[in-house]
Amino acid sequence: MTTKRPNSTRLHQYLSSRFLTLVLVVALAFSLLILVPKFNAYAVPGNQRGYEPAQPIAFSHRLHAGELQVQCLYCHSGAEKSRHAGIPAANVCMNCHRFVSAPLGAIRAEDELAKKEKREPQRVVSPEIQKLYDALALDDKMQPDPSKQLRPIAWTKVHNLPDFVYFDHRPHVNAGVRCQKCHGPVETMERVRQVEDLSMGWCVNCHRGVNRTGLDGNGNFTSAPAPAAEGPTPVTHRVYASIDCSTCHY
Amino acid sequence: MAEAAIALRPPLIDGDKTITEVTHDVCAPMEARPTALWWSALFVSSSLLLVGAIAIVYQISVGVGTWGLNRTVGWAFDITNFVFWIGIGHAGTLISAILFLFRQRWRTSVNRAAEAMTIFAVMCAGIFPVIHTGRPWFAYWMFPYPNTRGSLWVNFRSPLVWDFFAISTYLTVSAMFWFIGLLPDLATIRDRATAKWRRKLAGVLSLGWTGSYRAWQRYEVVYLMLAGLGTPLVISVHTIVSWDFATAVLPGWHATIFPPYFVASAIFSGMAMVLTLMIIARKLMHLEDYITIRHIERMSKLVITTSGIVGLAYATEFFTALYSGSSYEQFVFLNRALGPLFWGYWTMVGCNVFVPQLLWFRKVRTCVPAVFVISILVNVGMWFERFIIIVTSLSRDFIPANWFHYAPTRIEVATLVGTFGLFFTLFLLFCRFVPVIAVAEVKGVLKYGKPRMESAHE
Amino acid sequence: MSGEKKQYWKTLAEKEGGPEFLRAPAEELSVASPRQFRRRDFMKATGFTLGVAFATGCSRAPVQRALPLLSEPEEFVPGRSLFYSTTCAGCSAGCGVFAKVRDGRPIKLEGNPEHPLSRGGLCATGQASLLGLYDSQRLQHPLKEGKKVSWLEVDRAIQAELARVRNERGTVRVLSGTIPSPTFRAAIQEFLRGFADARHVVYDPLSKSALLDAHAQTHAMRVLPHFHFDKAEVIVSFDADFLGTWISPVEYTAAYRAGRDLGSRHVSYHVQFEPRMSVAGSKADQRFAVAPGEMGLLVTQLTRRVARKAGAWFDESEPESASVTPAFLDELADRLWQARGRTLIVCGTNDSQQQVLTNYLNHLLGNYGTSIDLERPSLQAEGSDHELERLFGELRDGSVQALLIAGANPVFDLPGGEELGDALKKVPLLVSSAERIDETSALAKYVLPEPHYLETWSDTEAISGMVSLRQPTVHPLGETRTLVETIAAWSGKPRSSYDLLRESWKAKIFPRQKKEADFETFWERALEDGFAEVEPGSARPQPFNVRAVIPVLHAQSLAANSFALVLYPTVAMLDGHNAYNPWLHELPDPVTKVTWDNCACVSPATAGRLGLADGDVVRLVTSDSKTLELPTYLQPGQNERVIAVALGYGSRLSARFAKIGPQWIDALLSVGDNGLVGVNAAPLLTLSLGALQYTASEVTVTRTGKQRELASTQTHDTLTVPKRLTPRGSGPRPLIQETSLAAYRKDPHSGVEDHEEKEDLWPTDHPYSGPRWGMVIDLNACTGCSSCVVACQVENNIPVVGRDEIRRNREMHWLRIDRYYSERESGQIEVAYEPLMCQQCENAPCETVCPVLATVHSEDGLNQQVYNRCIGTRYCANNCPYKGRRFNWFNYAHDDQFENLVLNPDVAVRSRGVMEKCTFCVQRIQEAKIEAKCRGERVADGAVGTACQQSCPARAIYFGDLNDPTSQVSKMMADPRRYRLLEELNVRPSVGYLTVVRNRPAEGDERSKEERHG
């Protein structure tokens, strides 16, 4: 009977409040150590990072910008002469897709099949590109079909800013900021995804950085000559990114 | 011998109370069923509170436009009420902190109520900085916190930000002060309580107060320290509030005299409010023996002192205007005295400077109804002081083309009424659930100014 | 131990320990009992769920779609504005404008700087006319007896009826206002040709008929001469508000300002005789408030004096003397005679006898051919009141079979509207072509919707030989059709207005010029410039016919305690066809500063005698017992025997404004008891002796005892420090600083209050390495016309708040024009205008007090306002010495989606509870900076223009980079006339003002300065 006390008290000591507090403090310190560096990574309400909506046409930037090396500004030509980069009008797509109606593989396959079946290979149109033709109300001969009606393509915007923010592509593109800097490696994306959180802090810190260390962060303060094909090519000048409120808010 | 003692120091508590009697007297109203009077009072005040609540909800849902403000007068009732209530709050800390440090032992019977009043007043005041903004749901932006705006902080040059800190500090410290002071009495309630829930509640709140020697020792130390903390706040809070105006360019606002002027008038109004409440409380709760005529007299003396300071400030304002040689400055004060709001100005001077002069006469000081009326008049006057300072300067500043008058709307009046509702509701609840008088402290001064031998006799 | 259970053990210790030992672990467990674990788990679980909830709860913004065009036009780039040169149709003056088109919709009108008439300016009405395009109550389709029908149907029906009329050889009339479009005029003639008895009746609600008739008598050609105010060194105006509402205010303002350039040798001297305070009168160097009955006598007296000097014939019978001192008239006559050939006399009354006398004056002074052009006459007003009278007769006896009313609203803007209405009902075929259902088109059997002028092709020949083109800037928003097209359709050859216009230009305009050999190039040129200068029409004036001159020998005398009524147009409403336009109703009148109402203006003295105060509703009764009930307004500088009432109000087009502005428990309606904005005064006009009379004598005034508070943005008694509150020894506040021409010639700096530059406590705060924006406003040039106010409103999406809010002093205009009266020793009232917006202070008081940094200083000197950061403490507004800030007291409604198309996409629409203010049109600055940046250049001077500056017809506003010493604004900043408002506060505003310089001898000037604000 007497031996019981010491045992339980010893146990009790182990689990005494002081011991528990110690454990808790250590745990807390540990978790803080883990969490704090990640702090900015946590999404606050309104953070759209990772937004990757489905589009009416499964347009692949990987294919066009990546494999086929189409320049961003070929389609998004507004970026250098307007505040909006713009989504290309369907007639821009048709510059190529008047001739390209399906992936090469599909066409080859059809030819093979035709050869096997001893018949004329018929025209192959990939379902996605067909949507484009439908939008333009074109028939198989690529001629406007009066019976159909024109249907504009309702793309889903990926990079949205609040109404009180006035972002302008011109100064950025013309100063030689690479598109990927804000839009991420679009040329590797099947479907475009928002890579940066586009928060004010993100914008402002980049602007601060540019003024401190130059565009590419190596103290180079002269902007690249504009990728503008037509129009006056800008004379090289000092890069300067304002952090005035009225740069974006008015 | 005994006579000598009495002649030497008048007792602080009348009626030869034994310690038990004291406890009983103070706790009785809490333990008895609430009187019809109390219920009706609560009904009135809480319905006022409701009116105010409705007004505020309407204003927030429709817009600040529902107030009588315009592009010339951007502040009026809102900030007036804010400054007014903050001012009221000052007496509490003064009594509990400064008078404590000065060993003014008579404070013991009023400090509890005064501190409670402080907290309630600051709560009332706290409403306005929030609801006066155009977008109250963003009012928290006035508080610096880490954000994703890279990072965008508050404007530390803005007196409104200083206000934010001043008031929150003030509220915290006074609340703590009040609570610490309550501990022994909460223990008393716990020990006397018959109802189970009451015992439990009081027990938790009294933080396991044993009344042991050690407990008392610690208690004294903490109380002293808090008093030390509280004292500078009495000065700082209203100084900072006055900077809202003093740092502005408007003639009539832009004055270096404002901090002392505002602090003095704050204490002035606070004292008046304490008087009002105390006179009501002692009547309704039969505490005449504890809040004696001598207490009222002493507070009246404080009132007249501060009234003097305030009067001096008024005069000084005119002098500085004259001396400054700035026609804008001079105009503002002419305009206050003779302009469209002259009646407000003279109400303020009348109530704050002339009326309190009556307190020079002992007869008036010792006549409770008189003091009561005066104290109320002083509160009216102090409200008008803030109103006049804010509105006259705004409505007629530099460019006459901008001049415009101001008239409050129903919504504004209802909001003001509502704050009074809130104030009195809280105070009534306080009277019901917390000892209005610091029992423990009063016991300490029970024998004060009484002949020693009585105790030797036993 | 027998009953004991048998034990087993592994070690001795176990054996010693016995069962307790075995029990121990159980206790160990019980210490940390499962209950505790469960609680911990619970906590963990809760924490986790909460965490997840938070992480996932980071709501995604609503999905936004983007629909690109299917095939994009060449010049079209989303987000870029295009400017199309076209011609304003706000009135018949025909100013040249650029329409700013953004993503396919016009959002702003800017004056065309190349245009020879308007020279880049545009008036308030012109600026506001844009809103008409997005008016959701515009007619969208043809109506037959009030029911919607198709164009085909209407055409068929009308063609049938017209055929019948043609066969019956019935009378056909076309009633319209002045039509400045040669193509349109021709089309109407073409249309009328087919009928036996057909006539095109032209009238102007604000009639200039007498002026034209006078020239018919004196020069045997009924034309409106083209006045050149820039060529005049002495300008005498008899009640002609040529800077406000008379014929072509923008053109005249530009010319007037050119003639008053202080740099030039001669600064024009302007004398105004008028019964009420007009905009032109407010700028005059000498101004006399004379009763309308005296006007003719005055003209005569001046004519006699000039005739004597010219040694020319004039009736010698001595007329009675008028209120103006003979001495002054002598002096004036001298000045005129010395400057003969370089003077200009204009008369605004619609009385041909006075007009003839005026012509004689001009003739004697040799102004024809110099400051008055008859070879290239103006076509901006060609109405004939005689014709109108005839038509009324015909209508009364019901002899008109078919009446086509083209864009006119006679039932509203002519006297006897009711009778006329009844007469119109008698017309078998009444067709009205209108943009909206107004008093007249409501009576018409067929209503043909006119398109807005920004939707169609048209042209304008404002001055003979100066043709400007009008091109569509947006696809018609409704099933509308111009009358030109309609007429073509009726004639059986339907063509688009484009083809019709080109045809008529090829046929009529192109041959009248030599520069271009090929029509296409000529057309392209005209289209790009917006106008073309060609040979004027062949009009050769006959030598002056003196026999027409008949002097006026007597002033019309008024019976005691009766008054002369003067009906006048306001800058905003003109003849009332703009009554649909909320911007114009909200625009404070330049002189009275009253909004959302018209009122009975009386002189303060008269008001004193009648015991009237602002807002007392009075009843006016004319001699032919027509009555009008209006609130009183005390108007300094008005003749004591005159009651002045504004025309153009009380139109049914304004019925829509009953509930405009925020609606809350204390809100008042913006309309009066009649459910309309203001009261229509047109019924008090009289059409007699072949002229519309805008004055009536023998009008009695009685107070009704009713009250109607006028929503005025300024009231004269709050413009000055009341005498009894003025500190001793302190003069008037130096808000307007002025001098006389003589003093200015001696010392250009005269009249400017000097302040020693105080030391800056924060010299390094703002380095201004780049540009630093600043503005200078020439108070001498400013006429108070208020076009800048509307321009600012359009550019910056400033909401309309309605009468009640303005009454509560909550107007939202970022730019206001303070109007100051001052009294000269002669008792003449003088006016000074001071446009006031945010002064963009360097040491801005607002910046230090904002708790959330919503207003901060930019690196190029702007005082930025960040709407989305503002929480609305209003501390900044309180601390602003200029009160240049505006607060969104409510969510000012933007619920008319159609009207919202006018919003400028470059400017955020402010929500409730947010402070806003002028930012020097920062969106334009940003645009210019970005453009320059892309080219790697500095922003060139003149590359940025603020909306107010661009619109100002008087070019009174200079804006640009103060860091660039060569910029125009820096030069003006350095001008000795420059002063800053409230400089003594050392807030260092970026806006400078130039002193007012009155053209008069120095003496007495000082005294008048003392008495300012008196």
Side-chain angles (χ1 to χ4, degrees), chain C residues 755-871:
Chain C
H755 291 277
E756 80 289 357
E757 186 75 356
K758 293 205 188 66
E759 184 203 355
D760 192 348
L761 292 176
W762 312 275
T764 58
D765 255 17
H766 310 304
Y768 302 123
S769 48
R772 182 185 157 207
W773 307 109
M775 184 178 273
V776 173
I777 300 175
D778 185 345
L779 297 185
N780 198 41
C782 175
T783 66
C785 75
S786 303
S787 97
C788 48
V789 178
V790 182
C792 175
Q793 182 160 28
V794 187
E795 172 71 21
N796 293 302
N797 301 338
I798 296 173
V800 170
V801 297
R803 172 174 171 270
D804 187 43
E805 285 294 279
I806 293 187
R807 198 180 55 86
R808 297 170 189 272
N809 184 29
R810 292 174 181 174
E811 70 269 21
M812 292 301 283
H813 293 136
W814 289 358
L815 168 57
R816 69 170 200 266
I817 301 180
D818 288 347
R819 178 261 295 112
Y820 289 87
Y821 294 119
S822 56
E823 188 167 8
R824 296 176 59 195
E825 67 275 21
S826 63
Q828 287 181 19
I829 296 295
E830 278 184 340
V831 182
Y833 296 105
E834 185 166 60
L836 201 73
M837 73 294 290
C838 170
Q839 304 279 300
Q840 316 288 342
C841 310
E842 216 178 317
N843 303 339
C846 51
E847 288 170 6
T848 51
V849 297
C850 174
V852 293
L853 291 168
T855 180
V856 289
H857 216 65
S858 85
E859 58 198 9
D860 46 8
L862 291 181
N863 174 258
Q864 308 166 106
Q865 179 66 24
V866 191
Y867 308 125
N868 47 301
R869 176 66 172 172
C870 176
I871 62 174

Side-chain angles (χ1 to χ4, degrees), chain C residues 12 47 93 126 139 172 216 299 512 551 710 861 932:
Chain C
L12 275 173
L139 277 172
V172 177
V299 185
R512 281 165 62 185
L710 288 165

Side-chain angles (χ1 to χ4, degrees), chain A residues 57 59 75 79 91 108 157 168 178-179 181 197 205 225:
Chain A
I57 298 180
F59 174 87
C75 303
N91 62 344
R108 284 241 180 77
K157 276 186 91 216
D168 198 315
R178 293 179 58 255
C179 306
K181 180 129 187 176
D197 65 358
N205 289 331

